[in-house]
Amino acid sequence: MSQPPSPRVSSRKQPKQERSRLLVTAILEAATQVLEQEGAPRFTTARVAERAGISVGSLYQYFPNKAAILFRLQADEWQSTSDRMCRILEDTTKPPSQRLRTLVRTFIRSECEEAQVRVALNDAAPLYRDAPEAKEPRARANRVFQDFMQEALPEASRTVRQLAGDLIVDTLSAGGSKFSKSPRSSRQVKVYADAMADMFDAYLASLQHR
C-alpha cells in the first residue's frame, strides 16, 4: 500500500521587507504561545492568526498550513541547538572531555528550558518528520559530532567510534527528554548533567584502553 504524501512544510515565500519579516516573527511567536498554552491537538492556523492579531489570509501568505508553521518552529529549534552544539564541539582550545561536559550541560539545560514547546512539537511530529526538509538541519551537527568522536577516540576503530557516538547521542536525547518532563531547578539540572557527563567520560576512557 502506498504511503500518503507528506504535507507541504515549506514556507510559501520568504519575507524580504522589514514589515514582512516582523509579520512572520509575530506569527511564529503566536504559534509558540498557542503550543505552550493549548498543545498540539488544539493547534490550528485560525488560533495562531487570532493570537497574532492578523487574518488567516495574511498567515497563508507565508505558511500554507499548520504543518509549515510547526516545521518552521522545529527547524529553527534544530538550527539553534545545532549551532550551539557545534560551537562547543569545535572549540579545540579545550580537551574533548571538557567539551563533552559542556555539551551535556548545555543540552540538558536547553531541554528543561524549552520543555513545554518541545513536548508539543514532539506530539505534532507525524506532520513533518518524514519531510525531506526535516533531515537537512541536522546534517552539519552529525558531521561535527563524528569529527569530535574521532578526536576523542583517535586509536579506536571506526566501528567502535560509531557505536560510542550512537550510545552517547541516544542516551543524551532520551535522558534529556525524560528528565525535562518535570520542572527542575538550576541545581538539579547541573547535578543530573554532570552525572551523565561523568558516565560518558568514564565510558570513553575505558575505550581508550581496549
Side-chain angles (χ1 to χ4, degrees):
M1 181 181 295
S2 61
Q3 296 294 322
S6 298
R8 179 181 175 185
V9 295
S10 299
S11 301
R12 286 190 186 278
K13 63 179 181 179
Q14 296 300 318
K16 296 181 180 179
Q17 299 181 349
E18 181 65 17
R19 181 179 178 183
S20 298
R21 288 194 289 269
L22 290 174
L23 178 56
V24 169
T25 298
I27 291 171
L28 295 174
E29 289 177 349
T32 300
Q33 293 170 11
V34 172
L35 278 176
E36 288 178 337
Q37 297 173 16
E38 302 190 40
R42 293 178 56 81
F43 184 89
T44 65
T45 53
R47 284 190 173 87
V48 173
E50 180 181 10
R51 183 64 60 90
I54 62 174
S55 68
V56 174
S58 295
L59 183 150
Y60 284 150
Q61 290 183 43
Y62 299 97
F63 300 98
N65 49 45
K66 71 177 184 179
I69 302 175
L70 290 167
F71 176 74
R72 172 62 185 273
L73 290 175
Q74 182 68 89
D76 286 352
E77 192 278 326
W78 280 334
Q79 189 63 59
S80 176
T81 299
S82 174
D83 287 345
R84 292 199 303 270
M85 300 302 108
C86 288
R87 284 196 297 270
I88 292 169
L89 293 177
E90 292 177 324
D91 184 6
T92 55
T93 63
K94 298 179 176 63
S97 60
Q98 184 177 342
R99 276 178 271 163
L100 184 57
R101 183 171 297 274
T102 302
L103 177 80
V104 173
R105 286 178 175 176
T106 302
F107 182 83
I108 297 299
R109 184 170 60 249
S110 173
E111 287 284 293
C112 292
E113 291 174 351
E114 302 169 9
Q116 287 180 302
V117 172
R118 198 183 307 278
V119 169
L121 286 174
N122 287 340
D123 289 342
L127 292 172
Y128 54 74
R129 66 185 175 194
D130 294 327
E133 299 97 320
K135 300 176 182 179
E136 297 172 5
R138 293 171 287 185
R140 180 189 170 214
N142 290 336
R143 292 193 299 270
V144 170
F145 192 74
Q146 289 172 9
D147 291 342
F148 170 79
M149 290 304 299
Q150 185 166 2
E151 183 181 356
L153 297 172
E155 303 300 326
S157 67
R158 181 177 180 180
T159 300
V160 169
R161 286 198 303 269
Q162 184 66 53
L163 175 60
D166 289 345
L167 285 172
I168 289 173
V169 171
D170 291 347
T171 303
L172 184 59
S173 178
S177 177
K178 182 177 180 180
F179 181 74
S180 64
K181 287 182 179 179
S182 299
R184 304 291 183 177
S185 68
S186 297
R187 173 63 179 169
Q188 288 175 317
V189 170
K190 184 179 184 302
V191 169
Y192 183 84
D194 282 348
M196 184 177 285
D198 287 343
M199 180 177 67
F200 291 154
D201 195 44
Y203 173 52
L204 293 179
S206 72
L207 295 178
Q208 296 281 21
H209 301 294
R210 290 185 183 178

